[in-house]
Amino acid sequence: MLQRFIDFHLHQRFLVLVALIALLVGGIWALTNIPIDAFPDLTNNQVVIVTEARGMAPVEVEQLVTFPIESAVMGLPRTLETRSISKLGLSIVTIVFEDSVEIYLARQLVTERLNEARSRIPSGLEPTLGPVATAFGEVFQYTVEGDGYSMLELKTIHDWLIRYQLRTVPGVGEVNSWGGFTQQYHIVVDPRLLRSYSLSLRDIYERVRDNNANFGGGYIEHASEQYNIRGIGRAETIQDLDRIVVASHNGVPVYLRDIAEIAIGAMPRQGAVTRDGRGETVSGMVIMLKGENGKVVNARVQTKLKELSGILPAGVRIKPFYDQSEVINRTITTVRNNLVEGGLLVVVILFLFLGNIRGALIVAAVIPLSMLFGFMGMMAFGVTANLMSLGAIDFGLIVDGSVVMMENAVRKLQKNPSNPSSSTFQEIRAAAHEVARPVVFGVAIIISVYLPVLTLEGLEGRMFRPMAITVCCALVGSLILALTVVPVATSMAFRNRIPPHRDRWFRYWRNWYS
């Protein structure tokens, strides 16, 4: 069967050429479109439910929030585990699904169960799902600085301008904010005045809430026209809050400013961000959507930051201090250098042992062609290009079959060069027939070594399975090339017999070693 396979391709050179062009086109397309990361994403397939429960102690959060939510999501199909953590005013429930479950399907299943959990937790609490991202999606970090601006102003600029602009970038799942002060409107009530008017803090809260809203009042028809009526009551400034009526004392309105002091302040915080020992700063972190191309997302973020520089207030600057694209570029450079150096090494070694530059170049060409085949396999299996998936490729394994095929063909063509008994085509054909079965068995044995890696699960599978898939795809491509392209290229490159190669230096070292 292998002999008929080789004979078919030797007689159908045009078909081999067309298939080779198709491999080049498909491989280059896969190379330019495959997601590129610095390292593989080792996080499991999980959905996180976050619930803020302000003022609740950890025990209350566990009893009233975490336990009802965790009970509601129990028993979801294809889940591996459910874990939770309860902190002061915060509940986090994590549901881990099997790796084969599509992330948006998992989020839909969790959302359906959350509707059941909302009736079991205290009113006013709203569980939300975490972003579709992982810890390895932190692709870009920066600080916001500006001369003459306070930490409160810089945090406000970041949260209400920079953050929303960056979230519009395709591939960005979330933008986190760190450091600075979050702006709030503080109503500081005087307890003595509050008591003198027989009011409570609850009364103040309800008056401010009721007087800080817009409402609709229907419409009025006049002169064949319809006028909509709206009640504008939402406070926009401190003066608007000052004029809110909280009570009536002897027919005289009591305004909020009469019993409280209203000012702009900062939300209480539990941490800060400093940089280079120069004091506090405001920091932001861009988190990429799970499964996106890190290199492409980084380029989009940098483009958006250049656009933002023209609309930021005067003196405000965005200074990046972590860019994952730098790590990705180094990874690409490492793989490219290994490919070039490995190809040159193969050419040199084959030339020394075969004494023929044409044969060495044909075998060396198998390396990039096999890599293109590997990229197509990575694209088909959803494997990203990173240092782990590409760094384990051994060029010696890739050219192993082609070296055997070329060496046997050259050996036959070097026999009796002055008195050929048959044509070079027949010699090359016979040489390919002789080593076809050993080449297939040799490459199959190498591939079988990687097959157990494909069965790994969990963290080990996410770490090593991409490497095994890449190597196996490249080896399959090298085997196909060794049985098809190498014999055809050899028959086209060697039209005549070649003189024997006198490797005296090799015989000398072999005799010395023996």
Side-chain angles (χ1 to χ4, degrees):
M1 180 178 179
L2 288 176
Q3 294 179 357
R4 292 196 299 269
F5 181 79
I6 294 174
D7 292 342
F8 173 80
H9 290 90
L10 282 173
H11 291 90
Q12 301 293 333
R13 299 181 181 181
F14 179 76
L15 181 62
V16 174
L17 179 61
V18 172
L20 188 59
I21 295 175
L23 173 62
L24 289 172
V25 174
I28 294 175
W29 176 84
L31 177 61
T32 55
N33 289 275
I34 190 172
I36 302 176
D37 295 320
F39 27 74
D41 193 344
L42 304 180
T43 55
N44 47 26
N45 194 17
Q46 62 183 12
V47 178
V48 180
I49 305 173
V50 181
T51 308
E52 291 189 27
R54 299 184 184 275
M56 287 189 180
V59 175
E60 293 176 323
V61 172
E62 175 68 26
Q63 294 175 346
L64 302 178
V65 182
T66 302
F67 181 75
I69 293 178
E70 193 171 2
S71 301
V73 298
M74 283 289 185
L76 284 173
R78 303 174 68 180
T79 56
L80 299 178
E81 65 172 334
T82 302
R83 59 178 183 268
S84 63
I85 183 171
S86 300
K87 295 183 177 181
L88 177 63
L90 184 65
S91 167
I92 300 176
V93 179
T94 304
I95 305 98
V96 181
F97 288 83
E98 297 177 1
D99 291 341
S100 58
V101 178
E102 209 273 332
I103 183 61
Y104 293 101
L105 172 61
R107 293 172 69 88
Q108 177 62 31
L109 294 174
V110 173
T111 302
E112 293 175 356
R113 291 292 184 90
L114 273 183
N115 295 330
E116 174 186 343
R118 285 187 176 91
S119 61
R120 302 180 182 178
I121 62 178
S123 60
L125 302 184
E126 185 60 33
T128 59
L129 300 185
V132 188
T134 65
F136 291 85
E138 301 172 359
V139 296
F140 197 85
Q141 298 184 43
Y142 55 90
T143 59
V144 182
E145 302 178 0
D147 299 332
Y149 290 88
S150 65
M151 290 296 102
L152 179 64
E153 293 172 329
L154 291 176
K155 182 67 177 295
T156 302
I157 292 173
H158 178 266
D159 290 349
W160 293 94
L161 177 60
I162 300 175
R163 182 169 177 266
Y164 287 137
Q165 288 293 324
L166 290 178
R167 289 186 66 177
T168 63
V169 176
V172 172
E174 184 59 78
V175 179
N176 287 344
S177 182
W178 309 88
F181 295 92
T182 302
Q183 178 175 309
Q184 287 183 331
Y185 287 89
H186 288 179
I187 302 176
V188 183
V189 180
D190 189 329
R192 294 174 301 174
L193 296 175
L194 194 67
R195 183 177 180 181
S196 65
Y197 290 108
S198 301
L199 295 173
S200 64
L201 287 177
R202 184 68 184 180
D203 296 331
I204 302 300
Y205 169 77
E206 293 177 352
R207 299 299 186 274
V208 173
R209 182 192 61 186
D210 296 339
N211 286 271
N212 186 32
N214 297 337
F215 61 90
Y219 61 90
I220 297 177
E221 293 184 0
H222 176 70
S224 301
E225 293 184 356
Q226 180 176 301
Y227 296 90
N228 293 324
I229 301 175
R230 293 178 61 209
I232 306 298
R234 183 163 295 162
E236 297 181 355
T237 63
I238 293 179
Q239 290 73 23
D240 293 338
L241 293 173
D242 286 338
R243 293 191 291 266
I244 292 178
V245 177
V246 296
S248 177
H249 186 69
N250 297 327
V252 178
V254 179
Y255 296 98
L256 185 61
R257 63 173 179 262
D258 296 333
I259 61 173
E261 181 182 349
I262 305 171
I264 294 178
M267 177 188 297
R269 62 175 184 170
Q270 296 181 339
V273 175
T274 62
R275 181 180 182 183
D276 299 334
R278 296 178 301 182
E280 288 194 46
T281 186
V282 176
S283 175
M285 177 191 297
V286 179
I287 301 177
M288 178 182 66
L289 280 173
K290 183 179 181 180
E292 287 288 335
N293 191 329
K295 184 176 178 61
V296 174
V297 173
N298 265 287
R300 294 170 180 167
V301 169
Q302 294 179 11
T303 302
K304 177 60 72 171
L305 290 179
K306 292 179 181 178
E307 298 175 0
L308 279 173
S309 61
I311 62 176
L312 289 176
V316 177
R317 303 176 302 276
I318 300 176
K319 290 188 175 182
F321 65 89
Y322 172 75
D323 186 353
Q324 197 181 87
S325 62
E326 296 179 2
V327 184
I328 295 174
N329 291 333
R330 292 181 183 180
T331 302
I332 296 174
T333 302
T334 300
V335 175
R336 184 183 65 241
N337 292 341
N338 289 343
L339 179 62
V340 174
E341 294 170 2
L344 293 177
L345 183 61
V346 169
V347 172
V348 173
I349 297 299
L350 289 177
F351 177 73
L352 291 176
F353 283 89
L354 296 179
N356 191 284
I357 189 63
R358 288 175 293 177
L361 291 176
I362 291 175
V363 175
V366 173
I367 295 178
L369 294 175
S370 300
M371 290 295 295
L372 293 179
F373 201 97
F375 286 130
M376 295 173 62
M378 294 169 64
M379 198 76 175
F381 288 100
V383 176
T384 63
N386 52 68
L387 192 59
M388 190 68 188
S389 61
L390 298 178
I393 294 180
D394 189 342
F395 296 116
L397 298 179
I398 290 179
V399 300
D400 189 27
S402 300
V403 167
V404 174
M405 188 70 69
M406 178 61 68
E407 192 276 335
N408 196 46
V410 171
R411 181 183 63 84
K412 278 191 169 293
L413 293 177
Q414 288 177 346
K415 287 184 177 180
N416 299 323
S418 59
N419 185 25
S421 59
S422 62
S423 65
T424 58
F425 180 84
Q426 295 299 329
E427 293 286 358
I428 294 172
R429 175 177 174 272
H433 288 175
E434 288 180 0
V435 298
R437 185 181 295 273
V439 166
V440 173
F441 285 163
V443 176
I445 291 173
I446 298 174
I447 293 177
S448 65
V449 174
Y450 289 90
L451 293 181
V453 181
L454 298 176
T455 63
L456 294 177
E457 298 179 353
L459 178 62
E460 297 81 3
R462 288 187 291 273
M463 178 178 292
F464 296 109
R465 194 183 299 117
M467 175 269 296
I469 292 175
T470 304
V471 173
C472 289
C473 291
L475 287 175
V476 171
S478 68
L479 177 60
I480 296 175
L481 292 171
L483 297 177
T484 58
V485 176
V486 172
V488 172
T490 304
S491 65
M492 297 175 65
F494 298 96
R495 299 299 180 91
N496 301 311
R497 291 179 176 269
I498 56 179
H501 176 50
R502 298 180 180 180
D503 49 352
R504 297 177 180 177
W505 63 273
F506 179 72
R507 289 198 301 270
Y508 170 78
W509 286 108
R510 184 177 58 185
N511 295 334
W512 176 84
Y513 178 78
S514 59

